[in-house]
Amino acid sequence: GESVGLHLPTLSVQEGDNSIINCAYSNSASDYFIWYKQESGKGPQFIIDIRSNMDKRQGQRVTVLLNKTVKHLSLQIAATQPGDSAVYFCAENSSGGSNYKLTFGKGTLLTVNP
Amino acid sequence: DAGVTQSPTHLIKTRGQQVTLRCSPISGHKSVSWYQQVLGQGPQFIFQYYEKEERGRGNFPDRFSARQFPNYSSELNVNALLLGDSALYLCASSLFAGGPADTQYFGPGTRLTVL
């Protein structure tokens, strides 16, 4: 079956450091992956996405890397700030026939220390 | 432009009752998906509606139902509530049926507590 998981449930970094959040997936047919940020009491907020025909995509202070060989996804946050503290989810977009659904992992709690 | 909106924000019900949650998608978006997020877990897919038709259903009992209206807003209904239904219910909208690069944007959620 399909599943998305995270290697590290918690990550604590110092302000200004770079953060790396990892994610493993099992469905080799998945063709689209998304990273969401969820702050306490709020819904998931889109950060960045990547299609399976790419191995790297950059945004503002964030980079997503996709390694299809080992089914691994990572989110890199440069110069991490206190406002980056949140739970980060990777999600796998897969087709169930006539619809697409997101399958989420459990999430990684990122804590940024000032 | 307003994002995805959901109502109510919080809801407290007792076991056996019924509940209706509401969602308005981003203007121009034609698809609404519902997710359940239990504390400490990632969201789990419940339903997707596109152009007022159910396109997909997750592994949830028949007590869960939904519909989409002509203005693309949506309601999620849960009957015969159980304690385990306590969760954050999230609505997400996308332009189309959610294929590659058709990003799903989430609302703030409705926190349901079943006593």
Side-chain angles (χ1 to χ4, degrees), chain B:
Chain B
D1 279 344
V4 178
T5 59
Q6 293 186 244
S7 64
T9 305
H10 296 88
L11 206 52
I12 299 175
K13 293 285 189 178
T14 57
R15 281 179 296 176
Q17 286 190 310
Q18 175 264 343
V19 68
T20 298
L21 311 179
R22 295 176 177 82
C23 170
S24 291
I26 292 171
S27 178
H29 285 197
K30 298 181 178 181
S31 177
V32 168
S33 296
W34 287 94
Y35 292 81
Q36 180 195 65
Q37 185 176 24
V38 175
L39 196 62
Q41 303 280 333
Q44 284 206 316
F45 173 75
I46 309 175
F47 285 111
Q48 186 197 38
Y49 276 76
Y50 176 64
E51 289 282 18
K52 302 179 285 295
E53 292 186 357
E54 181 182 309
R55 284 297 193 96
R57 170 188 280 260
N59 188 24
F60 281 81
D62 291 343
R63 299 185 295 108
F64 289 76
S65 63
R67 55 179 175 168
Q68 187 177 32
F69 299 98
N71 66 354
Y72 301 110
S73 66
S74 177
E75 286 182 352
L76 174 70
N77 295 286
V78 186
N79 294 322
L81 285 167
L82 303 174
L83 295 178
D85 294 331
S86 295
L88 180 67
Y89 288 85
L90 295 161
C91 172
S93 77
S94 57
L95 276 170
F96 305 110
D102 187 17
T103 305
Q104 293 190 36
Y105 295 93
F106 284 83
T110 293
R111 171 70 62 187
L112 172 65
T113 302
V114 182
L115 301 177

Side-chain angles (χ1 to χ4, degrees), chain A residues 13-52:
Chain A
V13 301
Q14 291 299 123
E15 182 177 358
D17 287 352
N18 296 332
S19 302
I20 300 176
I21 301 172
N22 296 301
C23 176
Y25 66 95
S26 61
N27 187 355
S28 57
S30 294
D31 55 9
Y32 180 52
F33 304 88
I34 311 100
W35 281 99
Y36 287 93
K37 171 187 179 184
Q38 188 172 28
E39 297 174 282
S40 181
K42 297 183 179 180
Q45 175 189 355
F46 171 84
I47 302 173
I48 192 168
D49 57 4
I50 188 167
R51 298 186 67 162
S52 60

Side-chain angles (χ1 to χ4, degrees), chain A:
Chain A
E2 43 187 57
S3 66
V4 179
L6 295 168
H7 294 310
L8 296 172
T10 61
L11 178 64
S12 183
V13 301
Q14 291 299 123
E15 182 177 358
D17 287 352
N18 296 332
S19 302
I20 300 176
I21 301 172
N22 296 301
C23 176
Y25 66 95
S26 61
N27 187 355
S28 57
S30 294
D31 55 9
Y32 180 52
F33 304 88
I34 311 100
W35 281 99
Y36 287 93
K37 171 187 179 184
Q38 188 172 28
E39 297 174 282
S40 181
K42 297 183 179 180
Q45 175 189 355
F46 171 84
I47 302 173
I48 192 168
D49 57 4
I50 188 167
R51 298 186 67 162
S52 60
N53 60 355
M54 303 171 68
D55 54 20
K56 181 179 180 180
R57 191 166 189 217
Q58 289 184 296
Q60 186 177 10
R61 285 200 306 118
V62 294
T63 301
V64 56
L65 299 177
L66 175 62
N67 185 330
K68 294 181 288 294
T69 302
V70 295
K71 298 178 191 172
H72 184 267
L73 197 67
S74 69
L75 176 70
Q76 300 178 1
I77 305 173
T80 314
Q81 302 167 1
D84 295 327
S85 295
V87 177
Y88 288 81
F89 292 98
C90 65
E92 174 183 5
N93 196 42
S94 58
S95 171
S98 60
N99 77 292
Y100 286 86
K101 66 174 185 178
L102 295 177
T103 301
F104 287 81
K106 290 184 179 179
T108 292
L109 173 62
L110 174 65
T111 302
V112 181
N113 303 307

